[in-house]
Structure formats: C-alpha cells, structure tokens
Amino acid sequence: QVPLAESGGGSVQAGGSLRLSCAAAPGRTLSMYAVGWFRQVPGKEREFVAGAGWKGGSTYYADSVKGRFEISRDNDQATVHLEMNNLKPEDTAVYYCAARFQAAVATVVREPASNSWGQGTLVTVSS
C-alpha cells in the first residue's frame, strides 16, 4: 500500500481542460506501481478512465475519453497525471487514482479492494 493524494480538480466549462495529479506520499515513488484513474458519479458505479502500466510505458483508456485524456508519469515517478482536454458535462465526477505494486492495469481494474486509493478530487464541467 502506498498513500496517494489527488489534486487538480475544479470547475470548468465544456471544451476546457484540467490536469489532475496523483502523488505518492513524500519519500515514496510510483515507479513500480500500475496506476489507474477512475471516476464516480453519485448513484452510479465507479468506472475506469485511464491506466498506466508499471513497466514498458503502456497506457490504457476508456473509449469515452480516448483522444481527449492522457495519462503520464513525472520523471521522478512520484506523480501520475491525467491531462483532460475537450471536457464534456458527462465528465463531471469525483476522480480517484489507484495504485497496485507490480500489477497489471487490468488487475487494478478487476480487484479494486486490494488497491491503494486516494481521497478523490471533484471535476465539474458545465455546459
């Protein structure tokens, strides 16, 4: 388990951009962790948004965000970002990051109970 903290949420108009960050606790890195971004709207199930593998630079995206969102790691490997462009009202949600040591992104998605999770950051997109 690695403590995580998300930041960067806020309110934006449709078509705008936001950059979310998922930071490991001071002194920790995410270099050997698969990291996923998820989002949840009240009353709905949490859904996968994007993921980054822990080796090889692999990335994965939900169809709904492909071409608009980009997941990346800082060079220090302590922070993972989610660049969100051309935001739509349906992107409104609380966004969470999750991490799992030396796991596949698919495992991060399928076995959420064993992930480290951040507290979430709210993204609101108005039309």
Side-chain angles (χ1 to χ4, degrees), residues 37-84:
W37 282 98
F38 298 78
R39 64 188 182 188
Q40 189 168 23
V41 175
K44 293 189 176 182
E45 289 190 1
R46 182 173 51 210
E47 64 172 348
F48 169 77
V49 175
W54 67 276
K55 60 179 179 180
S58 55
T59 57
Y60 307 87
Y61 298 94
D63 288 343
S64 59
V65 307
K66 277 182 184 175
R68 299 189 298 123
F69 290 12
E70 181 176 7
I71 189 170
S72 63
R73 296 177 182 264
D74 268 357
N75 288 337
D76 64 2
Q77 296 289 324
T79 306
V80 175
H81 301 287
L82 184 67
E83 186 75 34
M84 306 187 297

Side-chain angles (χ1 to χ4, degrees), residues 2-111:
V2 55
L4 301 171
E6 301 95 337
S7 61
S11 297
V12 65
Q13 288 191 326
S17 298
L18 283 173
R19 189 190 197 206
L20 305 184
S21 297
C22 173
R28 305 288 298 272
T29 75
L30 296 173
S31 61
M32 299 184 76
Y33 286 78
V35 177
W37 282 98
F38 298 78
R39 64 188 182 188
Q40 189 168 23
V41 175
K44 293 189 176 182
E45 289 190 1
R46 182 173 51 210
E47 64 172 348
F48 169 77
V49 175
W54 67 276
K55 60 179 179 180
S58 55
T59 57
Y60 307 87
Y61 298 94
D63 288 343
S64 59
V65 307
K66 277 182 184 175
R68 299 189 298 123
F69 290 12
E70 181 176 7
I71 189 170
S72 63
R73 296 177 182 264
D74 268 357
N75 288 337
D76 64 2
Q77 296 289 324
T79 306
V80 175
H81 301 287
L82 184 67
E83 186 75 34
M84 306 187 297
N85 299 310
N86 190 21
L87 283 161
K88 303 176 181 181
E90 52 263 42
D91 294 318
T92 295
V94 177
Y95 284 71
Y96 300 88
C97 66
R100 182 84 70 87
F101 184 71
Q102 291 187 333
V105 171
T107 303
V108 174
V109 176
R110 286 201 305 263
E111 301 176 6

